[in-house]
Amino acid sequence: MTPSEVLQFAKENGARQVDVRFADIPGLQHHISYPIGELSEASFTDGFGIDGSSIRGWAAINESDMLLIPDPSTAFMDPFMETPTLVMIGDVRDPLTRQNYERDPRWIARKAELYLQNTGVGDTAFIGAEAEFFIFDNIRFDQNAHSGFYFIDADEGRWNSSREKDNKGYRPRYKEGYFPVPPTDHYQDLRSEMVNVMERCGLVIECHHHEVATAGQCEIDQRFNTLVKTADNMMTYKYVVRNVANQYGKTVTFMPKPIFGDNGSGMHVHQSIWRDNKPLFAGDGYAGLSQMALYYIGGLLKHARALSAIIAPTTNSYKRLVPGYEAPVNLAYSRRNRSAAVRIPMYSASPKAKRVEFRPPDPSANPYLAFSAMLMAGLDGVLNRIEPGEPLDKDIYDLSPEEMKSVPSMPISLDEALECLEEDHQFLLKGDVFTEELIETFIDYKRRNEAEAIRLRPHPYEFSLYYDI
């Protein structure tokens, strides 16, 4: 929609508030609301003033004034607010220079798209992201000087099979939750309602289903779109999932690994490059790929350890990315084989469906930064003709120790991932997509506020291991 069309849309839907949203560096969405009378066509150029000093990873207090410019193409009516509310995603700008703010994740994603066009490799990057999540009934957690704990409960959790009251017995076994019909799948209706609301917000949904883990692990798949639009859609996807669950008295988490001993939640990311409405990843090479696609895979694999800090950016991510537990930690590529970091889906022979799927990412990632970083790695592979090596079509977990030594792997901790990003990030700086300052800020924030914070605190299991030592 154009600005004038947005104003008409707001009028037709009786909007009384306008809500403008943006994301911080870790990927949490923020918002600010105004009476609808404050929105005019001038708002789409003049913007709204905000204080950026309290946003994680943003400006210091002496440079806190920012402008938030609503993007009319993102407009939809909020399906949850009692007061009719028009929602738009905003771009952040410096009020003095009127330039886009270099730490705005959405601007980084826009620059990644521009860089692709400037390279001449293609004009459009299509991204399809599959974010998994858990639906719980109750969550308790705390950490202080003398105690630390978390407690999860989910009616669908297999551990409730011994419960004495209100027990109907239908629950997915650990690691056996893939595609069961109701009543074992407790959340068919809830997911259907999530899909209904997503479609009202403009998302295009392809399917939904229960995932592998017990305790309400689910997945809802969106139709692929351009890089920035897919990142925008992922923010709306999370917003809808959380709020529909909340309406039903449930709570949702996108933590990669909330449950010990069962599958974690990933965000497999499908990627392809097009030019002039033609797919460039289809060809007569391995698995029907073009040489460009193979080079793209080469870039992903070469930079995967550095990418890990951005696409699996939490300490909890590395409780999912554990060698030997069916996680995609091995830096190899294969058709169909889901134990490889890069998979080439083989569902369709259509050139338009040819794509590569990068499997290490998880939904704790900031989608604007994650999608941009993966595109930059892939483009580095294309521009520098990085060969991906031989495909690995065997079951990785059947390889001998000698064979496994030749297969590199993802980092095993956030600390290691941040070190890898420090050592290998020149590919991200091409075209000024990422800046040195942004990468330094990201690493410093993650190291001080997450990696070191976890390292300083006793873990409950340490008492089991060491209390009587």
Side-chain angles (χ1 to χ4, degrees):
M1 287 188 280
T2 64
S4 60
E5 289 171 335
V6 168
L7 295 176
Q8 183 62 30
F9 176 76
K11 182 178 180 180
E12 291 172 354
N13 286 276
R16 295 172 59 190
Q17 296 280 316
V18 57
D19 195 63
V20 188
R21 301 178 181 177
F22 59 95
D24 62 14
I25 294 297
L28 186 68
Q29 196 170 45
H30 301 261
H31 75 134
I32 183 168
S33 300
Y34 303 90
I36 196 65
E38 295 295 307
L39 182 70
S40 66
E41 288 200 40
S43 303
F44 295 90
T45 53
D46 296 342
F48 297 97
I50 61 169
D51 175 7
S53 64
S54 295
I55 304 301
R56 295 181 296 177
W58 276 24
I61 196 166
N62 61 318
E63 298 177 341
S64 60
D65 289 349
M66 298 287 167
L67 287 177
L68 191 57
I69 312 294
D71 182 342
S73 71
T74 64
F76 64 91
M77 292 299 296
D78 192 289
F80 304 107
M81 303 296 180
E82 289 187 16
T83 300
T85 300
L86 174 72
V87 175
M88 286 180 285
I89 294 174
D91 293 306
V92 183
R93 292 185 185 165
D94 185 295
L96 300 181
T97 66
R98 305 292 298 185
Q99 298 297 308
N100 289 89
Y101 184 46
E102 292 296 340
R103 296 190 189 183
D104 176 13
R106 195 168 192 258
W107 171 232
I108 293 169
R110 284 188 181 279
K111 287 192 290 181
E113 290 186 321
L114 290 170
Y115 176 69
L116 167 63
Q117 295 165 9
N118 290 336
T119 64
V121 170
D123 54 35
T124 306
F126 283 116
I127 304 291
E130 305 169 346
E132 299 164 349
F133 55 91
F134 280 88
I135 302 171
F136 297 145
D137 288 274
N138 191 54
I139 177 70
R140 294 187 291 121
F141 52 87
D142 195 14
Q143 177 82 55
N144 52 51
H146 66 92
S147 67
F149 76 97
Y150 68 90
F151 187 88
I152 295 167
D153 201 14
D155 182 69
E156 199 200 71
R158 188 69 178 180
W159 59 81
N160 274 317
S161 295
S162 62
R163 192 173 66 198
E164 292 187 9
K165 294 183 178 180
D166 302 319
N167 192 346
K168 306 255 185 332
Y170 289 100
R171 295 182 178 88
R173 298 176 183 86
Y174 294 103
K175 296 183 178 292
E176 294 185 24
Y178 203 55
F179 287 9
V181 296
T184 303
D185 176 1
H186 289 206
Y187 295 121
Q188 173 71 18
D189 286 338
L190 179 53
R191 290 195 309 273
S192 294
E193 178 61 16
M194 291 172 177
V195 169
N196 292 339
V197 176
M198 287 178 188
E199 291 179 331
R200 285 164 52 194
C201 294
L203 304 188
V204 179
I205 304 302
E206 294 184 333
C207 69
H208 66 91
H209 58 85
H210 201 286
E211 259 298 336
V212 175
T214 191
Q217 190 185 35
C218 298
E219 180 179 312
I220 301 173
D221 290 344
Q222 303 179 58
R223 179 74 52 84
F224 67 88
N225 212 313
T226 58
L227 189 152
V228 172
K229 188 60 179 174
T230 298
D232 288 344
N233 289 347
M234 185 56 66
M235 303 306 287
T236 302
Y237 173 97
K238 288 186 172 183
Y239 178 73
V240 170
V241 165
R242 289 183 177 122
N243 278 279
V244 171
N246 188 62
Q247 289 180 329
Y248 277 69
K250 310 289 184 182
T251 179
V252 159
T253 184
F254 288 92
M255 280 181 66
K257 188 73 170 182
I259 295 177
F260 170 68
D262 211 336
N263 281 40
S265 292
M267 183 178 69
H268 307 148
V269 181
H270 298 253
Q271 305 164 54
S272 64
I273 294 176
W274 291 45
R275 186 196 299 119
D276 298 329
N277 294 316
K278 295 180 181 179
L280 302 181
F281 275 14
D284 56 5
Y286 174 79
L289 293 177
S290 65
Q291 185 62 60
M292 177 189 288
L294 290 168
Y295 287 148
Y296 191 97
I297 291 171
L300 286 175
L301 295 177
K302 177 181 178 180
H303 299 297
R305 289 173 57 80
L307 287 174
S308 62
I310 298 173
I311 56 97
T314 67
T315 59
N316 189 250
S317 299
Y318 298 89
K319 293 175 171 60
R320 167 183 172 256
L321 294 176
V322 178
Y325 287 87
E326 300 182 14
V329 299
N330 298 289
L331 299 179
Y333 71 104
S334 174
R335 57 188 170 198
R336 303 178 66 182
N337 190 338
R338 284 172 165 78
S339 61
V342 176
R343 184 178 77 94
I344 299 93
M346 302 298 291
Y347 299 120
S348 172
S350 169
K352 293 182 178 181
K354 191 55 63 178
R355 61 198 187 273
V356 301
E357 176 192 7
F358 196 48
R359 296 178 65 81
D362 69 57
S364 69
N366 182 324
Y368 298 105
L369 301 184
F371 301 160
S372 301
M374 285 182 278
L375 176 63
M376 296 300 289
L379 288 176
D380 188 61
V382 173
L383 294 171
N384 291 292
R385 299 174 176 267
I386 298 173
E387 294 285 354
E390 293 299 316
L392 190 59
D393 289 330
K394 300 179 184 178
D395 184 338
I396 287 176
Y397 303 103
D398 286 341
L399 296 180
S400 68
E402 291 74 22
E403 290 175 306
M404 281 301 298
K405 286 180 182 178
S406 65
V407 182
S409 63
M410 295 287 283
I412 62 171
S413 69
L414 180 58
D415 275 314
E416 186 181 352
L418 294 171
E419 291 172 2
C420 292
L421 181 58
E422 279 183 320
E423 296 169 1
D424 176 24
H425 61 259
Q426 290 301 311
F427 70 98
L428 296 173
L429 305 180
K430 301 290 179 62
D432 294 323
V433 174
F434 288 76
T435 65
E436 193 76 55
E437 181 194 37
L438 185 280
I439 292 172
E440 289 176 0
T441 298
F442 180 89
I443 291 172
D444 182 64
Y445 177 87
K446 287 288 179 178
R447 188 167 278 153
R448 284 189 300 106
N449 295 284
E450 298 181 29
E452 290 182 2
I454 291 294
R455 193 162 55 246
L456 288 171
R457 287 163 171 78
H459 188 283
Y461 193 59
E462 289 179 313
F463 287 83
S464 174
L465 290 172
Y466 307 128
Y467 188 78
D468 61 349
I469 199 166

